[in-house]
Amino acid sequence: METSLELTNMTRVQQFVLLGFPTRLGIRDALFVVFLTLYLLTLLENTLIIYLICSHSELHKPMYFFLGNLSCLEMCYVSATMPTLLVGLWTGPYHISFVTCMTQLFFFVSLICTECTLLASMAYDRYVAICRPLHYPLLMRPQVCLALALSSWLGGLVVSAIKTKCIASLSYCGPNVLNQFFCDVSPLLNLSCTHVALTELVDFISAIVIFCGTLLVSLASYSAIGMAVLRMPSAAARRKAFSTCASHLVVVGIFYSAALFIYCRPSRIKSMDLNKVLSVIYTVVTPLCNPIIYCLRNKEVHTVLKKTLHWP
């Protein structure tokens, strides 16, 4: 009897089918070229930033330390999801094994949690630099920066391990078609043939803690920065600071808006087509735009880049 119950609880589905973007062949080919170009451009941008930060001592500052971590994360981030998107566009619906699907889910959740924490750390760094400049060398000393970065990466791994274990322990009896271009939480919950209330609760609580917690840190930091900027006597300094903060807030706003809509909901998402569109925003568009907004518009990075490329 006990053996029979164990067999019943085993996962029956051995692979999933990722629908991706089921459009006409000609449109799929065009999308493949577009997404492949965006993928390669994202890798190039972030590789360049990591190289510049590592090879030039003038960029060995806390802000660029976090930017280097963010660039490394963005490369891992797009590499965790983009391959299945590209294969799906090239071949049509993509068959992925259960183990590979859970592995992709683990890395994706880990990286998205790490990104949230890194964005909050970067916002805190800017808060200290603008609002408490005299204490900046002490509050953002190398040991603190390293601790913040390590806690971001390790925290993402721990949260992801818990969420992935909960989702992998569910039974999947069929159907096995995921209306998504990578293995994501909500589509997997929709396919489970067992009670998922506990898993949904774990997913919802972790999303609230990670997303909302780090979002509040970012908003509080930028709010304090905004008030400090308004008290600056120089109009030029105010414009420069507001321009930088506005650029950062646009990326943070787009990322969190899409992510919160998808993950901070206590029930399964029914509108999977909308889910896919929003997923493209924070898995493709945000990693592409982050290097441009955070680094390539920065004067110090511009100077180092010109020096590296021997531009006048």
Side-chain angles (χ1 to χ4, degrees), residues 154-295:
L154 293 176
L157 290 173
V158 171
V159 172
S160 182
I162 296 172
K163 293 180 72 166
T164 306
K165 179 175 172 53
C166 290
I167 294 172
S169 64
L170 299 173
S171 293
Y172 300 92
C173 312
N176 65 339
V177 178
L178 292 170
N179 188 15
Q180 181 59 288
F181 57 88
F182 67 98
C183 290
D184 200 1
V185 175
S186 296
L188 285 167
L189 291 179
N190 284 337
L191 292 185
S192 175
C193 56
T194 54
H195 193 56
V196 297
L198 179 60
T199 304
E200 285 186 332
L201 181 62
V202 170
D203 180 52
F204 180 62
I205 292 175
S206 63
I208 289 293
V209 172
I210 296 295
F211 288 123
C212 295
T214 55
L215 178 59
L216 287 175
V217 171
S218 297
L219 291 178
S221 298
Y222 285 122
S223 297
I225 289 171
M227 289 187 288
V229 169
L230 288 174
R231 292 194 294 267
M232 290 180 178
S234 169
R238 287 198 298 271
R239 282 196 301 270
K240 180 181 177 182
F242 271 127
S243 174
T244 302
C245 291
S247 300
H248 291 190
L249 284 173
V250 166
V251 172
V252 170
I254 292 173
F255 174 82
Y256 276 104
S257 297
L260 286 171
F261 180 83
I262 292 176
Y263 294 106
C264 287
R265 294 179 59 171
S267 60
R268 310 177 203 185
I269 295 177
K270 303 301 181 183
S271 180
M272 286 296 119
D273 289 331
L274 177 60
N275 192 358
K276 280 191 288 189
V277 173
L278 293 174
S279 296
V280 168
I281 292 175
Y282 67 82
T283 60
V284 180
V285 177
T286 303
L288 178 68
C289 294
N290 276 349
I292 298 172
I293 292 177
Y294 283 117
C295 279

Side-chain angles (χ1 to χ4, degrees), residues 35-77:
F35 282 117
L36 178 61
T37 302
L38 294 178
Y39 179 44
L40 296 177
L41 185 58
T42 301
L43 293 180
L44 177 63
E45 286 177 346
N46 287 287
T47 301
L48 176 62
I49 288 170
I50 293 172
Y51 169 74
L52 293 176
I53 292 173
C54 292
S55 61
H56 293 81
S57 58
E58 54 264 50
L59 297 183
H60 292 175
K61 301 175 183 178
M63 179 176 72
Y64 298 109
F65 171 76
F66 289 118
L67 288 173
N69 274 269
L70 185 65
S71 290
C72 181
L73 182 139
E74 301 290 18
M75 294 173 66
C76 297
Y77 195 38

Side-chain angles (χ1 to χ4, degrees), residues 11 13-19 79-81 84 94-110 160 163-170 172 175-192 263:
T11 302
V13 170
Q14 298 301 314
Q15 66 175 6
F16 296 103
V17 179
L18 298 174
L19 281 184
S79 297
T81 56
T84 50
Y94 176 61
H95 294 256
I96 184 171
S97 69
F98 182 86
V99 174
T100 305
C101 183
M102 292 301 142
T103 303
Q104 184 184 47
L105 176 69
F106 170 78
F107 283 111
F108 170 73
V109 173
S110 172
S160 182
K163 293 180 72 166
T164 306
K165 179 175 172 53
C166 290
I167 294 172
S169 64
L170 299 173
Y172 300 92
N176 65 339
V177 178
L178 292 170
N179 188 15
Q180 181 59 288
F181 57 88
F182 67 98
C183 290
D184 200 1
V185 175
S186 296
L188 285 167
L189 291 179
N190 284 337
L191 292 185
S192 175
Y263 294 106

Side-chain angles (χ1 to χ4, degrees), residues 16-36:
F16 296 103
V17 179
L18 298 174
L19 281 184
F21 294 93
T23 58
R24 295 197 304 272
L25 183 59
I27 298 177
R28 284 217 317 266
D29 291 342
L31 288 175
F32 177 84
V33 173
V34 169
F35 282 117
L36 178 61

